[in-house]
């Protein structure tokens, strides 16, 4: 049987100032988490793993998975629908073209450590098989339901900021300024914006990939331990994704 962390803890009480970063898997929530922490911390990279500074809401019952957040506002990320999350908080809703989400999920689940742990060789499951057998069936059209769910609840809410992955890719500085105005009481300065733009690039995150592989949580789960005692790593930013 799968063995997880040894202890469970109650979920933390949320505050109206808390900000939840929400999107389906493959939409860029790790990227967004890194950007938001950079805005909040003036570009600090003094964390070992992003989960130490931006908490993954779905894992907060696990031992040691609550980020020790000394900065304000607190940041959480989640892949859940609106009704499964606290309602007295603020949200950044991240959307991405569904076809790009499909390709991102394929690279992540079929050409990374997930596939290795499942006994698959890289490329053994092709994109067509993944699309028909997993993305379109197991996910039950999750990407489209997610869009509708968040649109129905939060399209006009002042507590929700909507952004798209594509807008970020086209003009990161403008989108990062928009996030800064939403996140902070005082708009971040030009030097902070410049630093966060530079640190959010693909090249920068690949250079610091170990900070984004979720080992802070996964090292506690026996499933991710190889026979030789080493731990599998789950790269979040891939050159071919």
């Amino acid at each position: 049987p799968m063995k997880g962390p040894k202890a469970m803890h109650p979920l933390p009480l949320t505050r109206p100032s808390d900000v939840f970063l929400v999107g389906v898997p493959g939409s860029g929530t790790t990227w967004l988490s890194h950007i938001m922490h950079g805005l909040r911390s003036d570009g600090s990279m003094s964390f070992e793993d992003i989960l130490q500074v931006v908490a993954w809401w779905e894992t907060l019952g696990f031992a040691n998975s609550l980020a020790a957040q000394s900065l304000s506002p607190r940041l959480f990320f989640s892949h859940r629908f609106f009704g499964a999350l606290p309602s007295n908080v603020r949200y950044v809703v991240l959307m991405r073209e569904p076809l790009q989400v499909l390709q991102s999920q394929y690279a992540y689940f079929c050409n990374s450590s997930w596939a290795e742990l499942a006994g698959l060789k890289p490329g053994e499951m092709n994109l067509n098989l993944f699309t028909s057998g997993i993305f379109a069936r197991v996910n039950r059209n999750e990407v489209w339901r997610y869009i509708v769910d968040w649109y129905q609840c939060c399209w006009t809410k002042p507590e929700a900021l909507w952004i798209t992955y594509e807008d970020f890719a086209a003009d990161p500085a403008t989108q990062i300024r928009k996030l800064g105005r939403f996140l902070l009481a005082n708009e971040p300065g030009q030097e902070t914006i410049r630093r966060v733009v530079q640190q959010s690039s693909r090249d920068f995150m690949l250079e610091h990939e170990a900070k984004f592989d979720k080992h802070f949580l996964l090292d506690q789960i026996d499933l991710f331990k190889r026979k030789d005692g080493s731990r599998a790593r789950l790269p979040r930013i891939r050159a071919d994704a």
Side-chain angles (χ1 to χ4, degrees):
M2 175 180 171
K3 295 182 180 180
K6 299 296 188 295
M8 300 294 287
H9 298 277
L11 292 174
L13 294 175
T14 53
R15 308 166 184 167
S17 60
D18 290 342
V19 178
F20 276 65
L21 316 175
V22 299
V24 296
S27 61
T29 48
T30 299
W31 186 35
L32 178 61
S33 298
H34 174 45
I35 290 169
M36 295 293 275
H37 176 65
L39 286 167
R40 185 183 60 173
S41 66
D42 196 27
S44 172
M45 290 291 296
S46 61
F47 56 89
E48 179 186 341
D49 187 295
I50 190 66
L51 289 181
Q52 294 173 303
V53 291
V54 180
W56 186 356
W57 183 256
E58 285 87 313
T59 71
L60 288 184
F62 294 157
N64 300 320
S65 65
L66 176 59
Q69 299 195 45
S70 59
L71 298 175
S72 182
R74 298 188 306 179
L75 296 172
F76 302 86
F77 83 91
S78 176
H79 303 306
R80 288 184 173 173
F81 290 86
F82 173 74
L85 292 176
S87 59
N88 63 328
V89 298
R90 296 184 290 160
Y91 311 95
V92 175
V93 184
L94 176 61
M95 293 292 165
R96 188 178 187 183
E97 162 62 44
L99 178 59
Q100 297 302 315
V101 171
L102 163 62
Q103 293 173 336
S104 179
Q105 288 190 7
Y106 172 68
Y108 180 52
F109 289 118
C110 299
N111 294 284
S112 72
S113 295
W114 284 114
E116 173 194 337
L117 291 166
L120 293 174
K121 297 177 181 177
E124 187 172 353
M125 179 179 290
N126 62 39
L127 180 58
N128 287 339
L129 181 58
F130 175 79
T131 302
S132 61
I134 298 178
F135 187 78
R137 293 179 180 272
V138 177
N139 290 3
R140 300 191 187 97
N141 293 320
E142 178 186 65
V143 175
W144 290 271
R145 290 198 302 119
Y146 204 87
I147 294 171
V148 172
D149 178 79
W150 280 95
Y151 176 80
Q152 288 177 335
C153 75
C154 301
W155 180 246
T156 60
K157 274 183 178 287
E159 300 85 8
L161 176 68
W162 288 70
I163 57 174
T164 72
Y165 183 100
E166 290 74 21
D167 285 343
F168 257 110
D171 188 356
T174 296
Q175 299 304 311
I176 288 171
R177 286 191 196 95
K178 183 178 7 178
L179 285 169
R181 289 193 293 268
F182 180 79
L183 177 68
L184 304 170
N186 298 311
E187 185 172 347
Q190 289 301 314
E191 180 56 28
T192 296
I193 297 296
R194 184 204 62 79
R195 184 178 297 116
V196 174
V197 169
Q198 186 267 327
Q199 291 178 349
S200 67
S201 70
R202 178 183 291 272
D203 288 345
F204 183 91
M205 293 185 71
L206 281 170
E207 182 182 350
H208 298 86
E209 189 173 43
K211 291 182 179 289
F212 307 106
D213 64 10
K214 304 297 193 297
H215 65 269
F216 182 63
L217 170 67
L218 299 177
D219 279 356
Q220 303 176 62
I221 302 175
D222 290 343
L223 174 66
F224 292 92
K225 187 175 181 179
R226 297 189 178 97
K227 292 181 179 179
D228 63 4
S230 65
R231 293 283 178 171
R233 290 289 180 258
L234 302 175
R236 302 295 302 199
I237 308 298
R238 298 179 52 84
D240 58 350

